[in-house]
Structure formats: structure tokens, C-alpha cells
Amino acid sequence: LSQSALDGYPVCIFAYGQTGSGKTFTMEGPAPPGPPESRGMIPRAVRHLFRGAQDLAGKGWQYGFSASFLEIYNEGLRDLLLAKGERGSELEIRRLAPDSDELHVPNLTWVPVQSEEQVLELLLRAGSQRSVARTGLNERSSRSHSVFQLRIQGHHAARDLRCASSLTLVDLAGSERLEKSGSVGNRLRETQSINSSLSALGLVISALCNK
């Protein structure tokens, strides 16, 4: 799938499951980053893309990459790559153009990246700002969905060819049963929002499958 993104196809992968099942670890690996063999899907996918771009450079292709990290918390959007204390603009999901199905988030931070290490730094920055809390089911529960997106721009000057695509890796908040999690107050509101959005996602995927 990572190779398909490099070839010009938009790719999206979700980590989905109950709270505490290991979705964030699967996507990001341990914090702070451990040895390469323990790293998660995001750094591994990015490493594959950078190596693929190097191989294709010998065939005349030049690639550029930029990354964003977005959090969806209680139906609101937060930019996880802002500097600490920095207040960003209010974020909304918009169509790229009135006749386009492509979506974007104006004013979201995009950071040019050229190595796996740069992406690991972004993971640390985003992780320090993500909404997490302790619940009855999980010591450190993600209370939001996080969306890592890598924009890929390719150009072959000699043949005047261009390609553009994206790799989107989504760490969904975990579904949970209220009677088991013991959520009250803010935790209750988060749980209701998480479960509602996961149900909506299921309906969207079902509708897409049924065209």
C-alpha cells in the first residue's frame, strides 16, 4: 500500500478496535522511539517511501514529501503540530473545489520531511499534545482520532510527468462500553462522541462498498 502511494494512488489505512487493544502502539510504536524493529506503521511506511523515492531517482523521478498531524476530539479539529502554547486558526473540513470530492483542511500545519527521523520528531511533538486520559479499561486511553497524512509530489522533468498522492494513517479512538469504562463527566462525553463517530464511519464505509 505504501508503494501504491508512491505510484500516485491515494492510500488510507485505519487502526480500529476496542480501547486498550494496541492501536496507537501499532501506528506509532513506543514513546520515546525504540530500535527500528519496534517502530510502528507510520515510521515504517515513511521509511519505505523514502527508500522507494531514492530508487526512482535513478530513473529520473524527484519526490517531495510533507506531513500533517490532525486530531479529531469531541467532533472538533486540532492541529497537533503547532508549537506548545501557539493558538492556531479554527479548523474546518472543506471541499478542495465546488465540483471536487477531494477534501482538505485550510490552515492546517504541513511540515516538509526528508527522513524517517524527522517523522519520528513529529510523532513526539504530536503525541505530547494529543488528548489522552485514564479510564476503567485503559491506563492511557486515546480520547480522540489522530490522522497522520503524508503528501507526495513526484516530477519527472525529462518526460514532463507529474504525480500527486497522499498516504493517510488513522489511529482511531477505541470503542468502549460505558458500564465497563466507568466514564463520567468529560470522560462520558468523550466516550459518547467516540462511539457515535465510529458508528458513522461504519455507515460511510458500508455506503461506499454499496456505491
Side-chain angles (χ1 to χ4, degrees), residues 58-138:
K59 298 179 180 178
W61 282 95
Q62 296 296 319
Y63 283 91
F65 302 91
S66 57
S68 68
F69 229 121
L70 176 72
E71 177 180 69
I72 305 173
Y73 174 70
N74 284 349
E75 308 305 322
L77 305 182
R78 293 180 60 223
D79 187 342
L80 293 179
L81 295 185
L82 290 174
K84 282 218 169 175
E86 183 182 349
R87 284 185 61 85
S89 307
E90 193 167 321
L91 301 178
E92 293 181 305
I93 300 170
R94 298 278 184 85
R95 287 185 185 272
L96 206 55
D99 58 346
S100 171
D101 286 336
E102 192 173 345
L103 304 175
H104 75 137
V105 179
N107 303 315
L108 183 64
T109 302
W110 287 89
V111 179
V113 289
Q114 297 174 321
S115 70
E116 183 185 354
E117 283 64 39
Q118 287 179 318
V119 173
L120 289 172
E121 289 175 13
L122 296 185
L123 284 175
L124 286 173
R125 193 197 308 183
S128 69
Q129 303 194 66
R130 192 170 173 193
S131 301
V132 297
R134 181 176 182 173
T135 71
L137 291 172
N138 193 350

Coordinates of all heavy atoms in Angstrom, one line a residue, residues 58-138:
G58 N 17.1 7.3 -9.7 CA 17.9 6.8 -10.8 C 17.2 6.7 -12.1 O 17.8 6.6 -13.2
K59 N 15.9 6.8 -12.1 CA 15.1 6.7 -13.3 C 14.5 8.1 -13.7 O 13.7 8.2 -14.5 CB 13.9 5.7 -13.1 CG 14.4 4.3 -12.9 CD 13.2 3.4 -12.7 CE 13.7 1.9 -12.4 NZ 12.6 1.0 -12.2
G60 N 15.0 9.1 -13.0 CA 14.7 10.5 -13.3 C 13.6 11.1 -12.5 O 13.2 12.3 -12.8
W61 N 13.0 10.4 -11.5 CA 11.9 10.9 -10.7 C 12.5 11.7 -9.5 O 13.4 11.2 -8.8 CB 11.0 9.8 -10.2 CG 10.1 9.3 -11.3 CD1 10.2 8.3 -12.1 CD2 8.8 9.9 -11.6 NE1 9.2 8.1 -13.0 CE2 8.3 9.1 -12.7 CE3 8.1 11.0 -11.2 CZ2 7.0 9.4 -13.2 CZ3 6.8 11.3 -11.7 CH2 6.3 10.5 -12.8
Q62 N 11.9 12.8 -9.2 CA 12.2 13.6 -8.0 C 10.9 13.7 -7.2 O 9.9 14.1 -7.7 CB 12.8 15.0 -8.3 CG 14.1 14.9 -9.1 CD 15.2 14.3 -8.3 OE1 15.3 14.6 -7.1 NE2 16.0 13.5 -8.9
Y63 N 11.1 13.4 -5.9 CA 9.9 13.5 -5.0 C 10.0 14.5 -3.9 O 11.1 14.7 -3.4 CB 9.6 12.1 -4.4 CG 9.0 11.1 -5.3 CD1 9.8 10.3 -6.1 CD2 7.6 11.0 -5.4 CE1 9.2 9.3 -7.0 CE2 7.1 10.1 -6.3 CZ 7.9 9.3 -7.1 OH 7.3 8.4 -7.9
G64 N 8.9 15.1 -3.5 CA 8.9 15.9 -2.3 C 7.8 15.4 -1.4 O 6.7 14.9 -1.8
F65 N 8.0 15.5 0.0 CA 7.1 15.0 1.0 C 6.8 16.0 2.0 O 7.7 16.8 2.4 CB 7.6 13.7 1.7 CG 8.0 12.6 0.8 CD1 9.3 12.5 0.2 CD2 7.1 11.6 0.4 CE1 9.6 11.4 -0.6 CE2 7.4 10.6 -0.4 CZ 8.7 10.5 -0.9
S66 N 5.6 16.1 2.4 CA 5.2 17.0 3.6 C 4.2 16.3 4.4 O 3.3 15.5 3.9 CB 4.7 18.4 3.1 OG 3.6 18.2 2.3
A67 N 4.2 16.5 5.7 CA 3.4 15.8 6.7 C 2.5 16.7 7.5 O 2.9 17.9 7.8 CB 4.3 15.0 7.6
S68 N 1.3 16.2 7.9 CA 0.5 16.9 8.8 C 0.0 15.9 9.9 O 0.0 14.7 9.7 CB -0.7 17.5 8.1 OG -1.6 16.5 7.6
F69 N -0.5 16.4 11.0 CA -1.0 15.6 12.1 C -2.2 16.3 12.7 O -2.1 17.4 13.3 CB 0.1 15.4 13.2 CG 0.2 13.9 13.6 CD1 1.5 13.3 13.5 CD2 -0.8 13.2 14.1 CE1 1.6 12.0 13.8 CE2 -0.7 11.9 14.4 CZ 0.6 11.3 14.3
L70 N -3.4 15.7 12.5 CA -4.6 16.3 12.9 C -5.3 15.4 14.0 O -5.2 14.2 13.9 CB -5.5 16.4 11.7 CG -7.0 16.9 11.8 CD1 -6.9 18.4 12.1 CD2 -7.8 16.6 10.6
E71 N -5.9 16.0 14.9 CA -6.7 15.3 15.9 C -8.2 15.7 15.8 O -8.5 16.9 15.6 CB -6.2 15.7 17.3 CG -7.0 15.0 18.5 CD -6.5 15.4 19.8 OE1 -6.6 16.6 20.2 OE2 -6.0 14.5 20.5
I72 N -9.1 14.7 15.9 CA -10.5 14.9 15.9 C -10.9 14.5 17.3 O -11.0 13.4 17.7 CB -11.3 14.1 14.9 CG1 -10.7 14.3 13.5 CG2 -12.7 14.4 14.9 CD1 -11.2 13.4 12.4
Y73 N -11.3 15.6 18.1 CA -11.6 15.4 19.6 C -13.0 16.0 19.8 O -13.2 17.2 19.6 CB -10.6 16.1 20.4 CG -10.9 16.0 21.9 CD1 -10.8 14.9 22.6 CD2 -11.2 17.2 22.6 CE1 -11.2 14.8 24.0 CE2 -11.5 17.2 23.9 CZ -11.5 16.0 24.6 OH -11.8 16.0 26.0
N74 N -13.9 15.2 20.3 CA -15.3 15.6 20.5 C -15.9 16.4 19.3 O -16.4 17.5 19.5 CB -15.4 16.5 21.8 CG -15.3 15.6 23.0 OD1 -15.4 14.4 23.0 ND2 -15.1 16.3 24.2
E75 N -15.6 15.9 18.1 CA -16.1 16.4 16.9 C -15.4 17.7 16.5 O -15.9 18.3 15.5 CB -17.7 16.6 16.9 CG -18.4 15.4 17.3 CD -18.1 14.2 16.5 OE1 -18.0 14.3 15.3 OE2 -18.1 13.0 17.1
G76 N -14.4 18.1 17.2 CA -13.7 19.3 16.8 C -12.3 18.9 16.2 O -11.8 17.8 16.5
L77 N -11.7 19.8 15.5 CA -10.4 19.5 14.9 C -9.3 20.3 15.6 O -9.4 21.5 15.9 CB -10.4 19.9 13.4 CG -11.5 19.4 12.5 CD1 -11.3 19.8 11.0 CD2 -11.4 17.8 12.5
R78 N -8.1 19.6 15.8 CA -7.0 20.2 16.4 C -5.7 19.9 15.7 O -5.5 18.8 15.2 CB -6.8 19.8 17.9 CG -7.9 20.2 18.8 CD -7.6 19.7 20.2 NE -6.4 20.2 20.8 CZ -5.5 19.4 21.4 NH1 -5.7 18.2 21.6 NH2 -4.4 20.0 21.9
D79 N -4.9 20.9 15.5 CA -3.6 20.8 14.8 C -2.6 20.3 15.8 O -2.2 21.1 16.7 CB -3.2 22.1 14.2 CG -2.0 22.1 13.3 OD1 -1.2 21.1 13.4 OD2 -1.8 23.0 12.5
L80 N -2.0 19.1 15.7 CA -1.1 18.6 16.7 C 0.3 19.0 16.4 O 1.2 18.7 17.2 CB -1.2 17.1 16.7 CG -2.5 16.5 17.2 CD1 -2.4 14.9 17.2 CD2 -2.8 16.9 18.6
L81 N 0.6 19.7 15.3 CA 2.0 20.1 15.0 C 2.2 21.6 15.3 O 3.3 22.1 15.0 CB 2.3 19.9 13.5 CG 2.3 18.4 13.2 CD1 2.8 18.2 11.7 CD2 3.2 17.6 14.1
L82 N 1.3 22.3 16.0 CA 1.5 23.6 16.4 C 2.6 23.6 17.6 O 2.6 22.7 18.3 CB 0.2 24.3 16.9 CG -0.8 24.7 15.9 CD1 -2.1 25.2 16.5 CD2 -0.3 25.7 14.9
A83 N 3.3 24.7 17.7 CA 4.2 24.8 18.8 C 3.4 24.9 20.1 O 2.3 25.4 20.1 CB 5.2 26.0 18.6
K84 N 4.0 24.4 21.2 CA 3.3 24.5 22.5 C 2.9 25.9 22.8 O 3.8 26.8 22.8 CB 4.2 23.9 23.6 CG 4.2 22.4 23.6 CD 4.2 21.8 25.0 CE 4.0 20.3 25.0 NZ 4.1 19.7 26.3
G85 N 1.7 26.1 23.2 CA 1.2 27.4 23.6 C 0.7 28.3 22.4 O 0.1 29.3 22.6
E86 N 1.0 27.8 21.2 CA 0.6 28.5 20.0 C -0.9 28.3 19.7 O -1.3 27.1 19.7 CB 1.5 28.1 18.8 CG 1.2 28.9 17.5 CD 2.0 28.4 16.3 OE1 3.0 27.6 16.6 OE2 1.7 28.8 15.2
R87 N -1.6 29.3 19.4 CA -3.0 29.1 19.1 C -3.2 29.2 17.6 O -2.8 30.2 16.9 CB -3.9 30.3 19.7 CG -4.1 30.1 21.2 CD -5.0 31.1 21.8 NE -6.4 31.1 21.2 CZ -7.3 30.2 21.6 NH1 -7.1 29.4 22.6 NH2 -8.5 30.3 21.0
G88 N -3.7 28.1 17.0 CA -3.9 28.1 15.6 C -5.3 28.6 15.2 O -6.1 29.0 16.0
S89 N -5.5 28.7 13.9 CA -6.8 29.1 13.4 C -7.8 28.0 13.6 O -7.5 26.9 13.8 CB -6.7 29.4 11.9 OG -5.7 30.3 11.6
E90 N -9.1 28.4 13.6 CA -10.1 27.4 13.7 C -10.1 26.6 12.5 O -10.1 27.1 11.3 CB -11.5 28.1 13.9 CG -12.6 27.1 14.3 CD -13.8 27.9 14.8 OE1 -13.7 28.9 15.5 OE2 -14.9 27.4 14.4
L91 N -10.2 25.2 12.6 CA -10.1 24.3 11.5 C -11.4 23.8 11.1 O -12.3 23.4 11.9 CB -9.1 23.2 11.9 CG -7.7 23.6 12.3 CD1 -6.9 22.3 12.6 CD2 -7.0 24.3 11.1
E92 N -11.6 23.6 9.8 CA -12.8 23.0 9.2 C -12.4 22.1 8.1 O -11.4 22.4 7.4 CB -13.8 24.1 8.7 CG -14.4 25.0 9.8 CD -15.4 26.0 9.2 OE1 -14.9 26.7 8.2 OE2 -16.5 26.0 9.6
I93 N -13.2 21.1 7.8 CA -13.0 20.3 6.6 C -13.8 20.9 5.5 O -15.0 21.1 5.6 CB -13.5 18.8 6.9 CG1 -12.7 18.2 8.1 CG2 -13.3 17.9 5.7 CD1 -13.3 16.9 8.6
R94 N -13.1 21.1 4.4 CA -13.7 21.8 3.2 C -13.4 20.9 1.9 O -12.5 20.2 1.9 CB -13.1 23.1 3.0 CG -13.3 24.1 4.1 CD -14.7 24.8 4.1 NE -14.9 25.7 5.1 CZ -14.5 27.0 5.0 NH1 -13.9 27.4 3.9 NH2 -14.8 27.9 6.0
R95 N -14.3 21.1 1.0 CA -14.0 20.6 -0.4 C -12.9 21.4 -1.0 O -12.9 22.6 -0.8 CB -15.3 20.6 -1.2 CG -16.3 19.6 -0.9 CD -17.5 19.6 -1.9 NE -18.5 18.7 -1.5 CZ -18.6 17.4 -1.8 NH1 -17.6 16.9 -2.6 NH2 -19.6 16.7 -1.5
L96 N -12.1 20.7 -1.8 CA -11.0 21.4 -2.5 C -11.5 22.4 -3.5 O -11.0 23.5 -3.7 CB -10.0 20.4 -3.2 CG -8.6 20.8 -3.4 CD1 -7.9 21.3 -2.1 CD2 -7.8 19.7 -4.0
A97 N -12.6 22.0 -4.2 CA -13.3 22.9 -5.1 C -14.8 22.5 -5.1 O -15.1 21.4 -4.7 CB -12.7 22.7 -6.5
P98 N -15.7 23.4 -5.6 CA -17.1 23.0 -5.5 C -17.5 21.7 -6.3 O -18.4 21.0 -5.9 CB -17.8 24.2 -6.2 CG -16.8 25.4 -6.0 CD -15.5 24.7 -6.0
D99 N -16.8 21.4 -7.3 CA -17.1 20.2 -8.1 C -16.1 19.1 -7.8 O -16.1 18.1 -8.6 CB -17.0 20.5 -9.6 CG -15.6 21.1 -10.0 OD1 -14.8 21.4 -9.1 OD2 -15.4 21.1 -11.3
S100 N -15.4 19.1 -6.7 CA -14.4 18.1 -6.3 C -14.9 17.3 -5.2 O -15.6 17.8 -4.3 CB -13.1 18.8 -6.0 OG -12.2 17.8 -5.5
D101 N -14.6 16.0 -5.1 CA -14.8 15.1 -4.0 C -13.7 15.1 -3.0 O -13.7 14.6 -1.9 CB -15.1 13.7 -4.4 CG -16.4 13.5 -5.1 OD1 -17.3 14.3 -4.8 OD2 -16.6 12.6 -5.9
E102 N -12.5 15.8 -3.4 CA -11.3 15.8 -2.6 C -11.5 16.8 -1.4 O -12.0 17.9 -1.6 CB -10.1 16.2 -3.4 CG -8.8 15.9 -2.7 CD -7.6 16.1 -3.6 OE1 -7.8 16.2 -4.8 OE2 -6.5 16.3 -3.0
L103 N -11.1 16.4 -0.2 CA -11.3 17.3 1.0 C -9.9 17.8 1.5 O -8.9 17.1 1.2 CB -12.0 16.5 2.1 CG -13.3 15.8 1.8 CD1 -13.8 15.0 2.9 CD2 -14.3 16.9 1.4
H104 N -10.0 18.9 2.1 CA -8.8 19.4 2.8 C -9.1 20.2 4.0 O -10.3 20.5 4.2 CB -7.9 20.2 1.8 CG -8.5 21.6 1.5 ND1 -7.7 22.7 1.4 CD2 -9.7 22.0 1.2 CE1 -8.4 23.8 1.1 NE2 -9.7 23.4 1.0
V105 N -8.1 20.6 4.8 CA -8.3 21.4 6.0 C -7.5 22.6 5.9 O -6.3 22.6 6.1 CB -8.0 20.6 7.3 CG1 -8.2 21.4 8.5 CG2 -8.7 19.3 7.4
P106 N -8.1 23.8 5.5 CA -7.3 25.0 5.3 C -6.7 25.4 6.7 O -7.2 25.1 7.8 CB -8.4 26.1 4.9 CG -9.5 25.3 4.4 CD -9.5 24.0 5.1
N107 N -5.5 26.0 6.6 CA -4.7 26.5 7.8 C -4.1 25.4 8.6 O -3.5 25.6 9.7 CB -5.6 27.4 8.7 CG -6.2 28.5 8.0 OD1 -5.5 29.2 7.2 ND2 -7.5 28.8 8.2
L108 N -4.2 24.1 8.2 CA -3.5 23.0 8.9 C -2.0 23.1 8.6 O -1.6 23.4 7.5 CB -4.1 21.7 8.4 CG -3.5 20.4 9.1 CD1 -3.9 20.4 10.6 CD2 -4.1 19.2 8.4
T109 N -1.2 22.8 9.7 CA 0.3 22.9 9.5 C 0.8 21.7 8.7 O 0.4 20.5 8.9 CB 1.0 22.8 10.9 OG1 0.5 23.9 11.7 CG2 2.5 22.9 10.8
W110 N 1.6 22.0 7.7 CA 2.3 21.0 6.8 C 3.8 21.2 7.0 O 4.3 22.3 6.8 CB 1.8 21.1 5.4 CG 0.4 20.6 5.2 CD1 -0.7 21.3 5.2 CD2 0.1 19.2 4.9 NE1 -1.8 20.5 5.0 CE2 -1.4 19.2 4.8 CE3 0.8 18.1 4.6 CZ2 -2.1 18.1 4.5 CZ3 0.1 16.9 4.4 CH2 -1.3 16.9 4.3
V111 N 4.5 20.1 7.3 CA 5.9 20.2 7.5 C 6.7 19.4 6.5 O 6.4 18.2 6.3 CB 6.3 19.7 8.9 CG1 7.8 19.8 9.2 CG2 5.5 20.5 10.0
P112 N 7.6 20.0 5.7 CA 8.4 19.2 4.7 C 9.2 18.2 5.5 O 9.8 18.5 6.5 CB 9.3 20.2 4.0 CG 8.6 21.6 4.3 CD 7.9 21.4 5.6
V113 N 9.3 17.0 5.0 CA 10.1 15.9 5.7 C 10.9 15.2 4.6 O 10.5 15.0 3.5 CB 9.2 14.9 6.4 CG1 8.6 15.5 7.7 CG2 8.1 14.3 5.5
Q114 N 12.1 14.8 5.0 CA 13.0 14.1 4.1 C 13.6 12.8 4.7 O 14.4 12.2 4.1 CB 14.2 15.1 3.7 CG 13.7 16.3 3.0 CD 14.8 17.3 2.7 OE1 15.6 17.5 3.6 NE2 14.8 17.9 1.5
S115 N 13.3 12.5 6.0 CA 13.9 11.3 6.6 C 12.9 10.7 7.6 O 12.0 11.4 8.1 CB 15.2 11.7 7.3 OG 14.9 12.5 8.4
E116 N 13.1 9.5 8.0 CA 12.3 8.8 9.0 C 12.5 9.5 10.3 O 11.5 9.7 11.1 CB 12.8 7.3 9.1 CG 11.9 6.5 10.1 CD 12.5 5.1 10.2 OE1 13.4 4.7 9.5 OE2 12.0 4.4 11.1
E117 N 13.7 10.0 10.6 CA 14.0 10.7 11.9 C 13.1 11.9 12.0 O 12.7 12.3 13.1 CB 15.5 11.0 12.0 CG 16.4 9.8 12.4 CD 16.4 8.7 11.3 OE1 16.3 9.1 10.1 OE2 16.3 7.5 11.6
Q118 N 13.0 12.7 11.0 CA 12.1 13.9 11.0 C 10.7 13.5 11.3 O 10.0 14.2 12.1 CB 12.2 14.6 9.7 CG 13.5 15.4 9.5 CD 13.5 16.1 8.1 OE1 13.1 15.6 7.1 NE2 14.1 17.3 8.1
V119 N 10.2 12.4 10.8 CA 8.8 12.0 11.1 C 8.7 11.5 12.5 O 7.7 11.8 13.2 CB 8.4 10.9 10.1 CG1 7.1 10.3 10.5 CG2 8.4 11.4 8.7
L120 N 9.7 10.9 13.1 CA 9.7 10.5 14.5 C 9.6 11.7 15.4 O 8.9 11.7 16.4 CB 11.0 9.7 14.8 CG 11.0 8.3 14.2 CD1 12.4 7.6 14.5 CD2 9.9 7.4 14.8
E121 N 10.3 12.8 15.0 CA 10.2 14.0 15.8 C 8.8 14.6 15.8 O 8.3 15.1 16.8 CB 11.2 15.1 15.2 CG 12.7 14.8 15.5 CD 13.6 15.8 14.8 OE1 13.1 16.8 14.3 OE2 14.8 15.5 14.7
L122 N 8.2 14.5 14.6 CA 6.8 15.0 14.5 C 5.8 14.1 15.4 O 4.9 14.6 16.0 CB 6.3 15.0 13.1 CG 7.0 15.9 12.1 CD1 6.3 15.8 10.7 CD2 7.0 17.3 12.6
L123 N 6.1 12.8 15.4 CA 5.3 11.9 16.2 C 5.4 12.3 17.7 O 4.4 12.3 18.4 CB 5.8 10.4 16.1 CG 5.3 9.7 14.8 CD1 6.0 8.3 14.7 CD2 3.8 9.6 14.7
L124 N 6.6 12.6 18.1 CA 6.8 13.0 19.5 C 6.1 14.3 19.8 O 5.5 14.5 20.9 CB 8.3 13.2 19.8 CG 9.1 11.9 20.0 CD1 10.6 12.2 20.1 CD2 8.7 11.1 21.2
R125 N 6.2 15.3 18.9 CA 5.5 16.6 19.1 C 4.0 16.4 19.1 O 3.3 16.9 20.0 CB 5.9 17.5 17.9 CG 5.5 19.0 18.2 CD 5.4 19.9 17.0 NE 6.6 19.8 16.2 CZ 6.7 20.6 15.1 NH1 5.8 21.4 14.7 NH2 7.8 20.6 14.4
A126 N 3.5 15.6 18.2 CA 2.0 15.3 18.2 C 1.6 14.6 19.4 O 0.5 14.9 20.0 CB 1.7 14.6 16.9
G127 N 2.3 13.5 19.8 CA 2.0 12.7 21.0 C 1.9 13.5 22.3 O 1.1 13.2 23.1
S128 N 2.7 14.5 22.4 CA 2.7 15.4 23.6 C 1.5 16.2 23.7 O 1.2 16.8 24.8 CB 4.0 16.2 23.7 OG 4.0 17.2 22.7
Q129 N 0.8 16.4 22.6 CA -0.4 17.3 22.6 C -1.7 16.6 22.4 O -2.8 17.2 22.4 CB -0.2 18.3 21.5 CG 1.1 19.1 21.6 CD 1.1 20.4 20.7 OE1 0.3 21.3 20.9 NE2 1.9 20.4 19.7
R130 N -1.6 15.2 22.2 CA -2.9 14.5 21.9 C -3.7 14.3 23.2 O -3.1 14.2 24.3 CB -2.5 13.1 21.3 CG -3.8 12.5 20.8 CD -3.5 11.2 20.0 NE -4.7 10.6 19.6 CZ -4.8 9.4 19.1 NH1 -3.7 8.7 18.9 NH2 -6.0 8.9 18.8
S131 N -5.0 14.2 23.1 CA -5.9 14.1 24.2 C -5.9 12.6 24.7 O -6.4 11.8 24.0 CB -7.3 14.5 23.8 OG -7.3 15.9 23.3
V132 N -5.4 12.4 25.9 CA -5.4 11.1 26.5 C -5.9 11.2 27.9 O -5.8 12.2 28.5 CB -4.0 10.4 26.4 CG1 -3.5 10.2 25.0 CG2 -3.0 11.2 27.2
A133 N -6.4 10.1 28.4 CA -6.9 10.1 29.8 C -6.9 8.6 30.3 O -6.9 7.7 29.6 CB -8.3 10.7 29.9
R134 N -6.9 8.5 31.6 CA -7.1 7.2 32.3 C -8.5 6.8 32.4 O -9.4 7.7 32.8 CB -6.4 7.2 33.7 CG -6.5 5.9 34.4 CD -5.7 6.0 35.7 NE -5.7 4.7 36.4 CZ -5.1 4.5 37.5 NH1 -4.3 5.4 38.0 NH2 -5.1 3.3 38.1
T135 N -8.9 5.6 32.0 CA -10.3 5.1 32.2 C -10.2 3.8 32.9 O -9.2 3.3 33.2 CB -11.0 4.9 30.8 OG1 -10.4 3.8 30.2 CG2 -10.8 6.2 30.0
G136 N -11.4 3.3 33.2 CA -11.5 2.0 33.9 C -11.0 0.8 33.0 O -10.8 -0.3 33.5
L137 N -10.8 1.1 31.7 CA -10.4 0.0 30.8 C -8.9 0.2 30.3 O -8.4 -0.7 29.7 CB -11.3 -0.1 29.6 CG -12.7 -0.6 29.9 CD1 -13.6 -0.4 28.6 CD2 -12.7 -2.0 30.3
N138 N -8.4 1.4 30.5 CA -7.1 1.7 29.9 C -6.4 2.7 30.7 O -6.9 3.8 31.0 CB -7.3 2.2 28.4 CG -6.1 2.2 27.6 OD1 -5.0 2.0 28.1 ND2 -6.2 2.4 26.3

